[in-house]
């Protein structure tokens, strides 16, 4: 599993002409599911994201988590995180989980966040072409892989 985490002042995702998710301060999560990912990896990733201290405290030190600041999470599926372009010029996505595995894991991630936090959890639409707008905060961008 690979997640690109972007600390944002605001972010939204639009499918067609409909906004499917929007948050103010919080984290935009671009989520790639690998073909070999397990439930244990998913739970580790979710716990880590909720506790990751990447928001500034009153002393401008990164000591606060998204949970501490009561931010939102915008969770967007992105299989292209497993694009491999080492050979040739057209990426291969063979390592990305197929939709029959990836979609349930994506939904499980969303459920985990809803069950284990009081945060505003918003989403994109699995498998759809999406437009994402965001205002990076910092910018602070991390890549977590498990």
């Amino acid at each position: 599993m690979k997640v690109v985490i972007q600390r944002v002042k605001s972010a939204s995702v639009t499918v067609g002409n409909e906004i499917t998710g929007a948050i103010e301060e919080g984290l935009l999560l671009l989520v790639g599911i690998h073909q070999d990912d397990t439930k244990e990896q998913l739970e580790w990733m979710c716990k880590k994201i909720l506790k990751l201290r990447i928001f500034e405290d009153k002393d401008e030190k990164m000591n606060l988590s998204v949970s501490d600041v009561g931010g939102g999470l915008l969770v967007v599926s992105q299989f292209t995180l497993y694009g491999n372009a080492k050979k040739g010029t057209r990426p291969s996505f063979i390592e990305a989980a197929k939709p029959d595995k990836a979609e349930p894991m994506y939904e499980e991630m969303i459920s985990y966040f809803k069950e284990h936090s009081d945060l505003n959890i918003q989403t994109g639409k699995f498998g759809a072409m999406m437009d994402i707008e965001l205002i990076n905060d910092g910018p602070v961008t991390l890549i977590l892989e498990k």
Side-chain angles (χ1 to χ4, degrees):
M1 179 170 294
K2 192 181 294 187
V3 180
V4 175
I5 300 168
Q6 293 184 301
R7 189 178 76 184
V8 298
K9 293 182 179 182
S10 65
S12 66
V13 61
T14 303
V15 178
N17 292 323
E18 178 187 348
I19 294 175
T20 63
I23 61 169
E24 293 302 319
E25 178 184 44
L27 300 175
L28 169 62
L29 307 175
L30 303 176
V31 180
I33 309 292
H34 189 274
Q35 62 187 355
D36 297 330
D37 281 345
T38 65
K39 182 175 180 164
E40 290 76 24
Q41 288 169 297
L42 182 130
E43 288 181 1
W44 178 91
M45 186 69 72
C46 291
K47 288 176 186 176
K48 177 69 87 173
I49 289 167
L50 289 174
K51 294 180 180 181
L52 197 60
R53 299 184 316 166
I54 59 173
F55 289 87
E56 293 178 355
D57 63 16
K58 62 179 173 47
D59 297 322
E60 298 182 356
K61 302 251 188 229
M62 282 196 212
N63 279 325
L64 303 174
S65 70
V66 68
S67 300
D68 294 330
V69 300
L73 297 177
L74 179 56
V75 187
V76 178
S77 63
Q78 189 169 352
F79 79 94
T80 59
L81 290 176
Y82 280 102
N84 184 336
K86 288 180 184 173
K87 196 172 183 183
T89 56
R90 183 173 179 217
S92 167
F93 301 102
I94 198 157
E95 292 183 30
K98 302 278 187 251
D100 63 332
K101 176 178 182 170
E103 187 170 12
M105 288 193 80
Y106 170 72
E107 294 296 335
E108 192 171 335
M109 175 177 265
I110 294 162
S111 294
Y112 184 96
F113 290 136
K114 288 180 177 179
E115 291 171 17
H116 293 88
S117 76
D118 293 327
L119 303 177
N120 175 23
I121 311 299
Q122 299 286 310
T123 68
K125 183 176 180 192
F126 185 89
M129 290 295 292
M130 295 174 271
D131 295 327
I132 299 171
E133 292 187 34
L134 66 133
I135 299 175
N136 274 351
D137 182 14
V140 174
T141 302
L142 299 170
I143 300 171
L144 286 184
E145 194 164 5
K146 177 74 174 162

mmCIF file of all heavy atoms in Angstrom, residues 4-54:
data_model
loop_
_atom_site.group_PDB
_atom_site.id
_atom_site.type_symbol
_atom_site.label_atom_id
_atom_site.label_comp_id
_atom_site.label_asym_id
_atom_site.label_seq_id
_atom_site.Cartn_x
_atom_site.Cartn_y
_atom_site.Cartn_z
ATOM 1 N N VAL A 4 0.087 8.859 -0.709
ATOM 2 C CA VAL A 4 0.670 10.194 -0.770
ATOM 3 C C VAL A 4 -0.203 11.066 0.123
ATOM 4 O O VAL A 4 -1.419 11.155 -0.066
ATOM 5 C CB VAL A 4 0.698 10.749 -2.209
ATOM 6 C CG1 VAL A 4 1.189 12.191 -2.220
ATOM 7 C CG2 VAL A 4 1.568 9.869 -3.099
ATOM 8 N N ILE A 5 0.440 11.673 1.131
ATOM 9 C CA ILE A 5 -0.271 12.486 2.122
ATOM 10 C C ILE A 5 0.107 13.940 1.892
ATOM 11 O O ILE A 5 1.289 14.282 1.939
ATOM 12 C CB ILE A 5 0.131 12.063 3.548
ATOM 13 C CG1 ILE A 5 -0.206 10.592 3.776
ATOM 14 C CG2 ILE A 5 -0.533 12.964 4.589
ATOM 15 C CD1 ILE A 5 0.400 10.020 5.041
ATOM 16 N N GLN A 6 -0.887 14.768 1.650
ATOM 17 C CA GLN A 6 -0.636 16.185 1.474
ATOM 18 C C GLN A 6 -1.410 16.958 2.531
ATOM 19 O O GLN A 6 -2.625 16.802 2.652
ATOM 20 C CB GLN A 6 -1.058 16.652 0.079
ATOM 21 C CG GLN A 6 -0.190 16.032 -1.007
ATOM 22 C CD GLN A 6 -0.537 16.552 -2.374
ATOM 23 O OE1 GLN A 6 -1.656 16.424 -2.811
ATOM 24 N NE2 GLN A 6 0.445 17.141 -3.032
ATOM 25 N N ARG A 7 -0.677 17.749 3.311
ATOM 26 C CA ARG A 7 -1.324 18.624 4.283
ATOM 27 C C ARG A 7 -1.926 19.784 3.492
ATOM 28 O O ARG A 7 -1.234 20.420 2.701
ATOM 29 C CB ARG A 7 -0.309 19.123 5.305
ATOM 30 C CG ARG A 7 -0.950 19.875 6.475
ATOM 31 C CD ARG A 7 0.088 20.295 7.482
ATOM 32 N NE ARG A 7 0.830 21.449 6.976
ATOM 33 C CZ ARG A 7 1.862 22.006 7.606
ATOM 34 N NH1 ARG A 7 2.296 21.508 8.747
ATOM 35 N NH2 ARG A 7 2.474 23.046 7.096
ATOM 36 N N VAL A 8 -3.217 20.035 3.705
ATOM 37 C CA VAL A 8 -3.907 21.041 2.901
ATOM 38 C C VAL A 8 -4.647 22.053 3.772
ATOM 39 O O VAL A 8 -5.057 21.754 4.894
ATOM 40 C CB VAL A 8 -4.915 20.393 1.919
ATOM 41 C CG1 VAL A 8 -4.198 19.489 0.930
ATOM 42 C CG2 VAL A 8 -6.013 19.628 2.648
ATOM 43 N N LYS A 9 -4.805 23.246 3.213
ATOM 44 C CA LYS A 9 -5.687 24.251 3.808
ATOM 45 C C LYS A 9 -7.114 23.980 3.367
ATOM 46 O O LYS A 9 -8.059 24.272 4.092
ATOM 47 C CB LYS A 9 -5.246 25.649 3.411
ATOM 48 C CG LYS A 9 -3.904 26.033 4.014
ATOM 49 C CD LYS A 9 -3.510 27.434 3.659
ATOM 50 C CE LYS A 9 -2.164 27.754 4.321
ATOM 51 N NZ LYS A 9 -1.737 29.115 4.051
ATOM 52 N N SER A 10 -7.261 23.408 2.160
ATOM 53 C CA SER A 10 -8.552 22.955 1.657
ATOM 54 C C SER A 10 -8.297 22.037 0.470
ATOM 55 O O SER A 10 -7.255 22.122 -0.180
ATOM 56 C CB SER A 10 -9.450 24.135 1.249
ATOM 57 O OG SER A 10 -8.882 24.818 0.152
ATOM 58 N N ALA A 11 -9.267 21.153 0.201
ATOM 59 C CA ALA A 11 -9.171 20.255 -0.944
ATOM 60 C C ALA A 11 -10.566 19.774 -1.307
ATOM 61 O O ALA A 11 -11.435 19.648 -0.443
ATOM 62 C CB ALA A 11 -8.271 19.060 -0.629
ATOM 63 N N SER A 12 -10.748 19.509 -2.595
ATOM 64 C CA SER A 12 -12.028 18.960 -3.049
ATOM 65 C C SER A 12 -11.786 18.057 -4.244
ATOM 66 O O SER A 12 -10.783 18.174 -4.944
ATOM 67 C CB SER A 12 -13.010 20.078 -3.421
ATOM 68 O OG SER A 12 -12.544 20.792 -4.545
ATOM 69 N N VAL A 13 -12.729 17.166 -4.469
ATOM 70 C CA VAL A 13 -12.680 16.277 -5.624
ATOM 71 C C VAL A 13 -14.026 16.365 -6.335
ATOM 72 O O VAL A 13 -15.088 16.374 -5.705
ATOM 73 C CB VAL A 13 -12.322 14.823 -5.224
ATOM 74 C CG1 VAL A 13 -13.332 14.215 -4.297
ATOM 75 C CG2 VAL A 13 -12.132 13.948 -6.448
ATOM 76 N N THR A 14 -13.949 16.458 -7.664
ATOM 77 C CA THR A 14 -15.130 16.583 -8.497
ATOM 78 C C THR A 14 -15.153 15.456 -9.510
ATOM 79 O O THR A 14 -14.131 15.142 -10.135
ATOM 80 C CB THR A 14 -15.121 17.946 -9.240
ATOM 81 O OG1 THR A 14 -15.038 18.993 -8.277
ATOM 82 C CG2 THR A 14 -16.365 18.131 -10.079
ATOM 83 N N VAL A 15 -16.316 14.833 -9.663
ATOM 84 C CA VAL A 15 -16.536 13.811 -10.687
ATOM 85 C C VAL A 15 -17.632 14.353 -11.601
ATOM 86 O O VAL A 15 -18.735 14.636 -11.137
ATOM 87 C CB VAL A 15 -16.954 12.465 -10.068
ATOM 88 C CG1 VAL A 15 -17.228 11.442 -11.161
ATOM 89 C CG2 VAL A 15 -15.892 11.955 -9.112
ATOM 90 N N GLY A 16 -17.305 14.509 -12.884
ATOM 91 C CA GLY A 16 -18.250 15.177 -13.778
ATOM 92 C C GLY A 16 -18.390 16.615 -13.313
ATOM 93 O O GLY A 16 -17.413 17.332 -13.188
ATOM 94 N N ASN A 17 -19.598 17.012 -13.001
ATOM 95 C CA ASN A 17 -19.830 18.365 -12.480
ATOM 96 C C ASN A 17 -20.217 18.348 -11.012
ATOM 97 O O ASN A 17 -20.693 19.356 -10.490
ATOM 98 C CB ASN A 17 -20.925 19.071 -13.299
ATOM 99 C CG ASN A 17 -20.473 19.372 -14.710
ATOM 100 O OD1 ASN A 17 -19.324 19.706 -14.936
ATOM 101 N ND2 ASN A 17 -21.375 19.226 -15.660
ATOM 102 N N GLU A 18 -20.033 17.209 -10.348
ATOM 103 C CA GLU A 18 -20.475 17.055 -8.958
ATOM 104 C C GLU A 18 -19.282 16.943 -8.009
ATOM 105 O O GLU A 18 -18.387 16.120 -8.213
ATOM 106 C CB GLU A 18 -21.337 15.798 -8.829
ATOM 107 C CG GLU A 18 -21.807 15.518 -7.432
ATOM 108 C CD GLU A 18 -22.524 14.178 -7.304
ATOM 109 O OE1 GLU A 18 -22.864 13.563 -8.333
ATOM 110 O OE2 GLU A 18 -22.721 13.749 -6.161
ATOM 111 N N ILE A 19 -19.284 17.774 -6.978
ATOM 112 C CA ILE A 19 -18.270 17.660 -5.934
ATOM 113 C C ILE A 19 -18.651 16.462 -5.068
ATOM 114 O O ILE A 19 -19.730 16.432 -4.485
ATOM 115 C CB ILE A 19 -18.182 18.940 -5.095
ATOM 116 C CG1 ILE A 19 -17.668 20.094 -5.957
ATOM 117 C CG2 ILE A 19 -17.262 18.736 -3.894
ATOM 118 C CD1 ILE A 19 -17.644 21.441 -5.267
ATOM 119 N N THR A 20 -17.767 15.466 -5.015
ATOM 120 C CA THR A 20 -18.055 14.267 -4.220
ATOM 121 C C THR A 20 -17.459 14.341 -2.831
ATOM 122 O O THR A 20 -17.851 13.587 -1.955
ATOM 123 C CB THR A 20 -17.548 12.991 -4.924
ATOM 124 O OG1 THR A 20 -16.121 13.065 -5.035
ATOM 125 C CG2 THR A 20 -18.180 12.817 -6.293
ATOM 126 N N GLY A 21 -16.494 15.237 -2.628
ATOM 127 C CA GLY A 21 -15.884 15.389 -1.322
ATOM 128 C C GLY A 21 -15.134 16.694 -1.234
ATOM 129 O O GLY A 21 -14.546 17.146 -2.222
ATOM 130 N N ALA A 22 -15.172 17.307 -0.056
ATOM 131 C CA ALA A 22 -14.441 18.559 0.167
ATOM 132 C C ALA A 22 -14.120 18.692 1.642
ATOM 133 O O ALA A 22 -14.932 18.323 2.496
ATOM 134 C CB ALA A 22 -15.268 19.753 -0.304
ATOM 135 N N ILE A 23 -12.923 19.191 1.931
ATOM 136 C CA ILE A 23 -12.506 19.439 3.309
ATOM 137 C C ILE A 23 -11.845 20.800 3.399
ATOM 138 O O ILE A 23 -11.383 21.347 2.394
ATOM 139 C CB ILE A 23 -11.532 18.363 3.841
ATOM 140 C CG1 ILE A 23 -10.238 18.325 3.012
ATOM 141 C CG2 ILE A 23 -12.205 16.997 3.904
ATOM 142 C CD1 ILE A 23 -9.108 17.498 3.608
ATOM 143 N N GLU A 24 -11.801 21.331 4.588
ATOM 144 C CA GLU A 24 -10.973 22.500 4.878
ATOM 145 C C GLU A 24 -9.641 21.947 5.385
ATOM 146 O O GLU A 24 -9.166 20.965 4.847
ATOM 147 C CB GLU A 24 -11.687 23.404 5.890
ATOM 148 C CG GLU A 24 -12.950 24.054 5.332
ATOM 149 C CD GLU A 24 -12.716 24.898 4.083
ATOM 150 O OE1 GLU A 24 -11.708 25.634 4.026
ATOM 151 O OE2 GLU A 24 -13.523 24.795 3.141
ATOM 152 N N GLU A 25 -9.063 22.498 6.443
ATOM 153 C CA GLU A 25 -7.772 22.030 6.947
ATOM 154 C C GLU A 25 -7.790 20.520 7.156
ATOM 155 O O GLU A 25 -8.743 19.969 7.696
ATOM 156 C CB GLU A 25 -7.465 22.708 8.288
ATOM 157 C CG GLU A 25 -6.164 22.244 8.899
ATOM 158 C CD GLU A 25 -5.909 22.829 10.268
ATOM 159 O OE1 GLU A 25 -6.843 22.873 11.090
ATOM 160 O OE2 GLU A 25 -4.767 23.232 10.513
ATOM 161 N N GLY A 26 -6.728 19.866 6.710
ATOM 162 C CA GLY A 26 -6.648 18.428 6.910
ATOM 163 C C GLY A 26 -5.645 17.785 5.981
ATOM 164 O O GLY A 26 -4.638 18.394 5.615
ATOM 165 N N LEU A 27 -5.965 16.549 5.592
ATOM 166 C CA LEU A 27 -5.068 15.763 4.756
ATOM 167 C C LEU A 27 -5.792 15.256 3.512
ATOM 168 O O LEU A 27 -6.887 14.694 3.618
ATOM 169 C CB LEU A 27 -4.523 14.563 5.530
ATOM 170 C CG LEU A 27 -3.718 14.849 6.789
ATOM 171 C CD1 LEU A 27 -3.369 13.545 7.502
ATOM 172 C CD2 LEU A 27 -2.463 15.653 6.474
ATOM 173 N N LEU A 28 -5.152 15.451 2.371
ATOM 174 C CA LEU A 28 -5.574 14.797 1.138
ATOM 175 C C LEU A 28 -4.764 13.517 1.047
ATOM 176 O O LEU A 28 -3.528 13.556 1.114
ATOM 177 C CB LEU A 28 -5.298 15.699 -0.068
ATOM 178 C CG LEU A 28 -5.448 15.043 -1.446
ATOM 179 C CD1 LEU A 28 -6.880 14.563 -1.686
ATOM 180 C CD2 LEU A 28 -5.006 16.011 -2.538
ATOM 181 N N LEU A 29 -5.460 12.388 0.928
ATOM 182 C CA LEU A 29 -4.800 11.085 0.855
ATOM 183 C C LEU A 29 -5.020 10.483 -0.519
ATOM 184 O O LEU A 29 -6.159 10.196 -0.900
ATOM 185 C CB LEU A 29 -5.376 10.137 1.914
ATOM 186 C CG LEU A 29 -5.387 10.634 3.352
ATOM 187 C CD1 LEU A 29 -6.095 9.620 4.249
ATOM 188 C CD2 LEU A 29 -3.975 10.906 3.845
ATOM 189 N N LEU A 30 -3.945 10.294 -1.269
ATOM 190 C CA LEU A 30 -3.999 9.600 -2.555
ATOM 191 C C LEU A 30 -3.560 8.170 -2.277
ATOM 192 O O LEU A 30 -2.416 7.940 -1.873
ATOM 193 C CB LEU A 30 -3.083 10.281 -3.565
ATOM 194 C CG LEU A 30 -3.360 11.765 -3.809
ATOM 195 C CD1 LEU A 30 -2.324 12.365 -4.751
ATOM 196 C CD2 LEU A 30 -4.762 11.987 -4.335
ATOM 197 N N VAL A 31 -4.467 7.224 -2.468
ATOM 198 C CA VAL A 31 -4.282 5.859 -1.982
ATOM 199 C C VAL A 31 -4.113 4.871 -3.134
ATOM 200 O O VAL A 31 -4.999 4.746 -3.991
ATOM 201 C CB VAL A 31 -5.496 5.427 -1.126
ATOM 202 C CG1 VAL A 31 -5.318 4.000 -0.616
ATOM 203 C CG2 VAL A 31 -5.725 6.399 0.020
ATOM 204 N N GLY A 32 -2.963 4.184 -3.124
ATOM 205 C CA GLY A 32 -2.716 3.115 -4.085
ATOM 206 C C GLY A 32 -2.685 1.777 -3.364
ATOM 207 O O GLY A 32 -1.988 1.626 -2.365
ATOM 208 N N ILE A 33 -3.448 0.837 -3.876
ATOM 209 C CA ILE A 33 -3.514 -0.513 -3.285
ATOM 210 C C ILE A 33 -2.694 -1.459 -4.166
ATOM 211 O O ILE A 33 -2.919 -1.546 -5.374
ATOM 212 C CB ILE A 33 -4.973 -1.024 -3.207
ATOM 213 C CG1 ILE A 33 -5.900 -0.007 -2.541
ATOM 214 C CG2 ILE A 33 -5.031 -2.389 -2.522
ATOM 215 C CD1 ILE A 33 -5.662 0.237 -1.089
ATOM 216 N N HIS A 34 -1.752 -2.162 -3.538
ATOM 217 C CA HIS A 34 -0.910 -3.139 -4.238
ATOM 218 C C HIS A 34 -1.634 -4.482 -4.305
ATOM 219 O O HIS A 34 -2.439 -4.807 -3.423
ATOM 220 C CB HIS A 34 0.426 -3.286 -3.493
ATOM 221 C CG HIS A 34 1.429 -4.093 -4.217
ATOM 222 N ND1 HIS A 34 1.486 -5.463 -4.124
ATOM 223 C CD2 HIS A 34 2.437 -3.718 -5.062
ATOM 224 C CE1 HIS A 34 2.484 -5.900 -4.867
ATOM 225 N NE2 HIS A 34 3.082 -4.863 -5.449
ATOM 226 N N GLN A 35 -1.322 -5.258 -5.300
ATOM 227 C CA GLN A 35 -1.984 -6.560 -5.485
ATOM 228 C C GLN A 35 -1.788 -7.508 -4.301
ATOM 229 O O GLN A 35 -2.612 -8.390 -4.067
ATOM 230 C CB GLN A 35 -1.509 -7.221 -6.778
ATOM 231 C CG GLN A 35 -0.020 -7.531 -6.805
ATOM 232 C CD GLN A 35 0.451 -8.034 -8.148
ATOM 233 O OE1 GLN A 35 -0.329 -8.243 -9.064
ATOM 234 N NE2 GLN A 35 1.753 -8.257 -8.262
ATOM 235 N N ASP A 36 -0.719 -7.323 -3.520
ATOM 236 C CA ASP A 36 -0.442 -8.217 -2.392
ATOM 237 C C ASP A 36 -0.801 -7.620 -1.031
ATOM 238 O O ASP A 36 -0.462 -8.198 0.004
ATOM 239 C CB ASP A 36 1.045 -8.603 -2.375
ATOM 240 C CG ASP A 36 1.445 -9.383 -3.615
ATOM 241 O OD1 ASP A 36 0.596 -10.107 -4.173
ATOM 242 O OD2 ASP A 36 2.617 -9.256 -4.038
ATOM 243 N N ASP A 37 -1.461 -6.468 -1.004
ATOM 244 C CA ASP A 37 -1.771 -5.818 0.272
ATOM 245 C C ASP A 37 -2.727 -6.642 1.127
ATOM 246 O O ASP A 37 -3.577 -7.375 0.608
ATOM 247 C CB ASP A 37 -2.380 -4.429 0.036
ATOM 248 C CG ASP A 37 -1.322 -3.394 -0.287
ATOM 249 O OD1 ASP A 37 -0.129 -3.656 -0.067
ATOM 250 O OD2 ASP A 37 -1.700 -2.305 -0.760
ATOM 251 N N THR A 38 -2.569 -6.489 2.448
ATOM 252 C CA THR A 38 -3.387 -7.233 3.404
ATOM 253 C C THR A 38 -4.152 -6.268 4.306
ATOM 254 O O THR A 38 -3.843 -5.077 4.369
ATOM 255 C CB THR A 38 -2.494 -8.108 4.306
ATOM 256 O OG1 THR A 38 -1.658 -7.247 5.100
ATOM 257 C CG2 THR A 38 -1.641 -9.067 3.489
ATOM 258 N N LYS A 39 -5.101 -6.825 5.041
ATOM 259 C CA LYS A 39 -5.866 -6.041 6.002
ATOM 260 C C LYS A 39 -4.949 -5.465 7.087
ATOM 261 O O LYS A 39 -5.158 -4.348 7.547
ATOM 262 C CB LYS A 39 -6.961 -6.906 6.632
ATOM 263 C CG LYS A 39 -7.831 -6.155 7.599
ATOM 264 C CD LYS A 39 -8.972 -7.006 8.117
ATOM 265 C CE LYS A 39 -9.802 -6.175 9.075
ATOM 266 N NZ LYS A 39 -11.094 -6.750 9.349
ATOM 267 N N GLU A 40 -3.937 -6.221 7.489
ATOM 268 C CA GLU A 40 -2.999 -5.754 8.504
ATOM 269 C C GLU A 40 -2.246 -4.512 8.021
ATOM 270 O O GLU A 40 -2.046 -3.565 8.783
ATOM 271 C CB GLU A 40 -2.008 -6.863 8.888
ATOM 272 C CG GLU A 40 -2.621 -8.007 9.667
ATOM 273 C CD GLU A 40 -3.452 -8.970 8.818
ATOM 274 O OE1 GLU A 40 -3.223 -9.058 7.577
ATOM 275 O OE2 GLU A 40 -4.357 -9.616 9.372
ATOM 276 N N GLN A 41 -1.837 -4.509 6.777
ATOM 277 C CA GLN A 41 -1.149 -3.352 6.218
ATOM 278 C C GLN A 41 -2.084 -2.143 6.182
ATOM 279 O O GLN A 41 -1.675 -1.022 6.504
ATOM 280 C CB GLN A 41 -0.645 -3.646 4.804
ATOM 281 C CG GLN A 41 0.526 -4.600 4.779
ATOM 282 C CD GLN A 41 0.824 -5.085 3.381
ATOM 283 O OE1 GLN A 41 -0.002 -5.755 2.758
ATOM 284 N NE2 GLN A 41 2.002 -4.748 2.884
ATOM 285 N N LEU A 42 -3.326 -2.380 5.810
ATOM 286 C CA LEU A 42 -4.312 -1.306 5.747
ATOM 287 C C LEU A 42 -4.527 -0.692 7.128
ATOM 288 O O LEU A 42 -4.520 0.530 7.277
ATOM 289 C CB LEU A 42 -5.640 -1.840 5.187
ATOM 290 C CG LEU A 42 -6.712 -0.790 5.038
ATOM 291 C CD1 LEU A 42 -7.314 -0.852 3.653
ATOM 292 C CD2 LEU A 42 -7.788 -0.966 6.071
ATOM 293 N N GLU A 43 -4.674 -1.521 8.158
ATOM 294 C CA GLU A 43 -4.884 -1.012 9.507
ATOM 295 C C GLU A 43 -3.655 -0.255 10.007
ATOM 296 O O GLU A 43 -3.788 0.791 10.645
ATOM 297 C CB GLU A 43 -5.249 -2.150 10.455
ATOM 298 C CG GLU A 43 -6.649 -2.656 10.209
ATOM 299 C CD GLU A 43 -7.065 -3.771 11.156
ATOM 300 O OE1 GLU A 43 -6.270 -4.158 12.047
ATOM 301 O OE2 GLU A 43 -8.201 -4.267 10.999
ATOM 302 N N TRP A 44 -2.457 -0.751 9.713
ATOM 303 C CA TRP A 44 -1.231 -0.045 10.091
ATOM 304 C C TRP A 44 -1.220 1.342 9.464
ATOM 305 O O TRP A 44 -0.914 2.338 10.125
ATOM 306 C CB TRP A 44 -0.002 -0.841 9.643
ATOM 307 C CG TRP A 44 1.292 -0.164 9.956
ATOM 308 C CD1 TRP A 44 2.038 -0.309 11.091
ATOM 309 C CD2 TRP A 44 1.993 0.801 9.153
ATOM 310 N NE1 TRP A 44 3.155 0.492 11.031
ATOM 311 C CE2 TRP A 44 3.153 1.192 9.855
ATOM 312 C CE3 TRP A 44 1.751 1.373 7.904
ATOM 313 C CZ2 TRP A 44 4.073 2.113 9.345
ATOM 314 C CZ3 TRP A 44 2.651 2.300 7.402
ATOM 315 C CH2 TRP A 44 3.800 2.657 8.121
ATOM 316 N N MET A 45 -1.545 1.404 8.166
ATOM 317 C CA MET A 45 -1.535 2.669 7.437
ATOM 318 C C MET A 45 -2.548 3.644 8.035
ATOM 319 O O MET A 45 -2.234 4.821 8.253
ATOM 320 C CB MET A 45 -1.835 2.419 5.957
ATOM 321 C CG MET A 45 -1.706 3.638 5.083
ATOM 322 S SD MET A 45 -0.005 4.236 4.874
ATOM 323 C CE MET A 45 0.702 2.977 3.823
ATOM 324 N N CYS A 46 -3.738 3.185 8.316
ATOM 325 C CA CYS A 46 -4.778 4.054 8.878
ATOM 326 C C CYS A 46 -4.372 4.596 10.245
ATOM 327 O O CYS A 46 -4.529 5.796 10.519
ATOM 328 C CB CYS A 46 -6.101 3.297 8.976
ATOM 329 S SG CYS A 46 -6.841 2.928 7.381
ATOM 330 N N LYS A 47 -3.843 3.725 11.103
ATOM 331 C CA LYS A 47 -3.394 4.166 12.427
ATOM 332 C C LYS A 47 -2.292 5.206 12.302
ATOM 333 O O LYS A 47 -2.275 6.209 13.008
ATOM 334 C CB LYS A 47 -2.891 2.969 13.249
ATOM 335 C CG LYS A 47 -3.976 2.051 13.731
ATOM 336 C CD LYS A 47 -3.393 0.836 14.443
ATOM 337 C CE LYS A 47 -4.461 -0.159 14.793
ATOM 338 N NZ LYS A 47 -3.908 -1.385 15.388
ATOM 339 N N LYS A 48 -1.351 4.955 11.417
ATOM 340 C CA LYS A 48 -0.224 5.867 11.209
ATOM 341 C C LYS A 48 -0.725 7.231 10.731
ATOM 342 O O LYS A 48 -0.285 8.269 11.239
ATOM 343 C CB LYS A 48 0.749 5.268 10.195
ATOM 344 C CG LYS A 48 1.924 6.139 9.850
ATOM 345 C CD LYS A 48 2.896 6.312 10.982
ATOM 346 C CE LYS A 48 3.910 5.195 10.972
ATOM 347 N NZ LYS A 48 4.968 5.411 11.969
ATOM 348 N N ILE A 49 -1.647 7.245 9.792
ATOM 349 C CA ILE A 49 -2.157 8.508 9.248
ATOM 350 C C ILE A 49 -2.863 9.316 10.330
ATOM 351 O O ILE A 49 -2.660 10.529 10.437
ATOM 352 C CB ILE A 49 -3.093 8.236 8.047
ATOM 353 C CG1 ILE A 49 -2.255 7.744 6.852
ATOM 354 C CG2 ILE A 49 -3.911 9.479 7.687
ATOM 355 C CD1 ILE A 49 -3.069 7.145 5.726
ATOM 356 N N LEU A 50 -3.663 8.671 11.152
ATOM 357 C CA LEU A 50 -4.394 9.392 12.199
ATOM 358 C C LEU A 50 -3.468 9.970 13.270
ATOM 359 O O LEU A 50 -3.805 10.964 13.910
ATOM 360 C CB LEU A 50 -5.430 8.478 12.856
ATOM 361 C CG LEU A 50 -6.642 8.127 11.990
ATOM 362 C CD1 LEU A 50 -7.528 7.106 12.700
ATOM 363 C CD2 LEU A 50 -7.434 9.376 11.607
ATOM 364 N N LYS A 51 -2.281 9.369 13.451
ATOM 365 C CA LYS A 51 -1.363 9.811 14.510
ATOM 366 C C LYS A 51 -0.153 10.592 13.996
ATOM 367 O O LYS A 51 0.623 11.121 14.785
ATOM 368 C CB LYS A 51 -0.869 8.600 15.301
ATOM 369 C CG LYS A 51 -1.974 7.926 16.083
ATOM 370 C CD LYS A 51 -1.455 6.736 16.840
ATOM 371 C CE LYS A 51 -2.573 6.082 17.623
ATOM 372 N NZ LYS A 51 -2.099 4.930 18.380
ATOM 373 N N LEU A 52 0.003 10.676 12.682
ATOM 374 C CA LEU A 52 1.162 11.332 12.089
ATOM 375 C C LEU A 52 1.201 12.810 12.469
ATOM 376 O O LEU A 52 0.270 13.559 12.205
ATOM 377 C CB LEU A 52 1.093 11.181 10.565
ATOM 378 C CG LEU A 52 2.346 11.421 9.764
ATOM 379 C CD1 LEU A 52 3.465 10.462 10.173
ATOM 380 C CD2 LEU A 52 2.031 11.247 8.286
ATOM 381 N N ARG A 53 2.280 13.214 13.111
ATOM 382 C CA ARG A 53 2.392 14.589 13.633
ATOM 383 C C ARG A 53 3.011 15.502 12.578
ATOM 384 O O ARG A 53 4.230 15.699 12.560
ATOM 385 C CB ARG A 53 3.194 14.585 14.926
ATOM 386 C CG ARG A 53 2.521 13.742 16.004
ATOM 387 C CD ARG A 53 3.205 13.781 17.331
ATOM 388 N NE ARG A 53 4.660 13.664 17.233
ATOM 389 C CZ ARG A 53 5.500 13.938 18.219
ATOM 390 N NH1 ARG A 53 5.043 14.360 19.384
ATOM 391 N NH2 ARG A 53 6.793 13.797 18.075
ATOM 392 N N ILE A 54 2.155 16.070 11.742
ATOM 393 C CA ILE A 54 2.640 16.940 10.666
ATOM 394 C C ILE A 54 1.941 18.301 10.651
ATOM 395 O O ILE A 54 2.082 19.049 9.689
ATOM 396 C CB ILE A 54 2.549 16.262 9.288
ATOM 397 C CG1 ILE A 54 1.126 15.847 8.946
ATOM 398 C CG2 ILE A 54 3.494 15.076 9.218
ATOM 399 C CD1 ILE A 54 0.973 15.334 7.526
#
